[in-house]
Amino acid sequence: MMPHPIAAKTEAEMAPAPGLRDLPNPDPAAGLRAYRDERAACLRADRRRWSNYRRYRASTRREVAPDYLPIKLDIENVSRCNFRCTMCSVSQWPKGRRAGDMTVDAFKALIDTQSGLVEIKLQGMGEPLMQRDPYFEMIRYARARRIWVRTTTNGSLLHLNDHIAKLVAADPNEVQISIDGATADVYEAIRRGSVFDRVTRNVADLNAAFAAAGKTRTKMWTVVQHANAHQLADLVHLAASLGFKSQVFSLEMVDWGLESWRAANNAVTVTDDLDPVELRALVERGRELGVRVQFWHTTEKYSTSSPADLCPWPFERAFIGSDGRIVPCCTIGNPDVMEIAGNGGSMKEVWFGEAFAEFRRAHLMGRIPKACRSCYV
């Protein structure tokens, strides 16, 4: 008797075809164990931080009025950039600048009053190395308190003013470097104002310096779009040649909370055209080259169907602009688009204030603010 055709299929054949959600997601450049060990050390270093973290963990993390301080912050040291990237709203700012730089004193005061912090991202809409030495002092100050520090750079200024040695010595936990093309023509067309050969030399030197110090800190980050989608395999090879151990392909094009940018970036988004099988092959090719290939994507949007499906940002973190103004998240990144006003108060006062409570309440009641809607179903 012949077996039923379905019964005759193997388990592998019966499994659903792999999708974008099945691709590996980013983990810290130094690995999850290093990340967890550093968090444990951070919590041990300050009893106030440990107490705050316990309250955070014990909560539903969906309260209108939380009884804990944020555990993470995005802190923008500069809101100016030397590039005019095609997918970034900074390209439309006058002279690529929104506001003045954050001072070291303001940064230190923020860190000192935010006793719940276990992690920060030190970068916002600008290129942080444009600030020079104050930037490195900020990293050192946070790291001295065992706060996990992640930062991002376009790599164009690393060769100046001994920046590489200073960055390695400051010892951030992760340095994300944006490289969106495997060749000069593609890279420079996306990262307008850049010089591909200069950036790649800088990045290779930075990776060599971290390696000589016995540290794994860097991650190559590529925003996948129409102009570079044909170069994904080449980008993995480029990452290996530059000394990266980690490469992330971002499959997400954000809109900065603006309809005009939603339309512009939708026009060059290729996520729906990507073949998950081919992307999986990049993971295998990376493994052969010693590069961990991962993918950042939001294939499932946030939803108002239940509190658990809401964006977590309002309940655990925020974005602070270089001028101290508070923004809901890095996807918006600009207080001129949306600001959680606090009448000039500190981050602590704003976090526990009515404006932030109303922002959380709107999410919990399904009244998603206009600037946030592109992240929701």
Side-chain angles (χ1 to χ4, degrees):
M1 181 178 178
M2 294 291 293
H4 191 281
I6 294 179
K9 291 185 177 180
T10 66
E11 182 176 341
E13 290 171 329
M14 290 287 288
L20 296 180
R21 286 176 294 166
D22 302 309
L23 296 167
N25 298 137
D27 55 19
L32 281 172
R33 181 173 181 177
Y35 180 80
R36 291 167 179 160
D37 288 349
E38 193 63 27
R39 174 161 295 186
C42 178
L43 294 172
R44 288 195 302 267
D46 190 323
R47 294 184 66 179
R48 297 173 304 164
R49 193 179 295 146
W50 172 240
S51 176
N52 185 81
Y53 194 73
R54 287 182 65 183
R55 293 196 301 275
Y56 163 77
R57 293 287 296 175
S59 74
T60 65
R61 285 163 262 174
R62 292 295 185 272
E63 294 98 341
V64 168
D67 65 349
Y68 54 85
L69 286 164
I71 62 165
K72 302 175 183 178
L73 286 177
D74 278 32
I75 304 174
E76 180 183 65
N77 66 315
V78 301
S79 53
R80 56 190 173 108
C81 191
N82 57 332
F83 285 4
R84 303 292 184 268
C85 302
T86 57
M87 64 285 192
C88 181
S89 64
V90 174
S91 64
Q92 294 182 339
W93 294 356
K95 298 183 179 180
R97 179 189 182 112
R98 183 187 63 78
D101 297 351
M102 180 176 286
T103 66
V104 172
D105 286 345
F107 176 84
K108 290 180 177 179
L110 177 61
I111 295 296
D112 290 346
T113 57
Q114 287 298 303
S115 56
L117 286 178
V118 298
E119 179 179 340
I120 66 170
K121 180 190 177 192
L122 185 57
Q123 187 265 341
M125 298 292 286
E127 168 49 46
L129 279 163
M130 293 185 76
Q131 197 178 26
R132 301 190 179 186
D133 288 349
Y135 167 61
F136 304 116
E137 187 174 351
M138 291 175 183
I139 297 174
R140 292 194 301 270
Y141 194 80
R143 290 296 299 122
R145 285 144 187 79
R146 302 305 295 264
I147 295 170
W148 181 276
V149 177
R150 179 165 59 96
T151 190
T152 297
T153 176
N154 62 33
S156 64
L157 306 175
L158 287 167
H159 63 291
L160 301 174
N161 304 304
D162 208 23
H163 282 168
I164 288 177
K166 291 174 181 177
L167 186 56
V168 173
D171 196 28
N173 300 90
E174 182 165 301
V175 181
Q176 177 180 304
I177 301 171
S178 304
I179 299 181
D180 295 317
T183 55
D185 58 333
V186 173
Y187 175 84
E188 292 172 7
I190 295 172
R191 298 268 166 184
R192 294 182 302 196
S194 66
V195 178
F196 179 75
D197 289 343
R198 177 76 269 172
V199 170
T200 51
R201 286 199 304 271
N202 286 352
V203 171
D205 290 344
L206 178 66
N207 283 332
F210 270 122
K215 300 174 180 178
T216 302
R217 294 289 187 270
T218 62
K219 177 180 289 182
M220 182 165 140
W221 191 279
T222 299
V223 179
V224 179
Q225 52 201 280
H226 184 268
N228 63 17
H230 63 291
Q231 289 193 329
L232 301 190
D234 294 333
L235 282 157
V236 176
H237 285 264
L238 178 64
S241 71
L242 296 177
F244 284 103
K245 301 299 181 186
S246 180
Q247 153 88 70
V248 174
F249 290 110
S250 175
L251 310 182
E252 178 179 15
M253 299 282 286
V254 302
D255 64 5
W256 318 111
L258 296 166
E259 290 181 2
S260 59
W261 277 99
R262 180 71 275 156
N265 283 342
N266 272 349
V268 296
T269 297
V270 294
T271 304
D272 292 341
D273 300 323
L274 296 171
D275 183 348
V277 174
E278 293 180 0
L279 297 182
R280 177 67 67 177
L282 297 177
V283 177
E284 298 306 317
R285 186 60 182 139
R287 186 174 292 117
E288 295 171 2
L289 296 169
V291 178
R292 192 165 67 249
V293 175
Q294 298 169 322
F295 300 85
W296 173 256
H297 54 92
T298 52
T299 54
E300 288 189 356
K301 299 281 189 178
Y302 297 122
S303 169
T304 58
S305 60
S306 74
D309 295 324
L310 295 172
C311 171
W313 271 75
F315 309 97
E316 70 176 29
R317 66 193 298 179
F319 177 109
I320 300 182
S322 64
D323 50 359
R325 296 165 69 189
I326 298 166
V327 184
C329 73
C330 64
T331 298
I332 296 170
N334 183 351
D336 293 337
V337 174
M338 185 176 187
E339 178 181 7
I340 300 179
N343 299 319
S346 68
M347 175 63 209
K348 184 175 182 179
E349 291 170 332
V350 174
W351 180 258
F352 291 126
E354 180 53 34
F356 221 133
E358 175 54 31
F359 181 68
R360 298 186 193 102
R361 186 179 296 114
H363 278 73
L364 289 165
M365 296 185 69
R367 296 186 279 106
I368 305 302
K370 184 177 181 180
C372 301
R373 290 175 190 167
S374 68
C375 289
Y376 278 81
V377 174

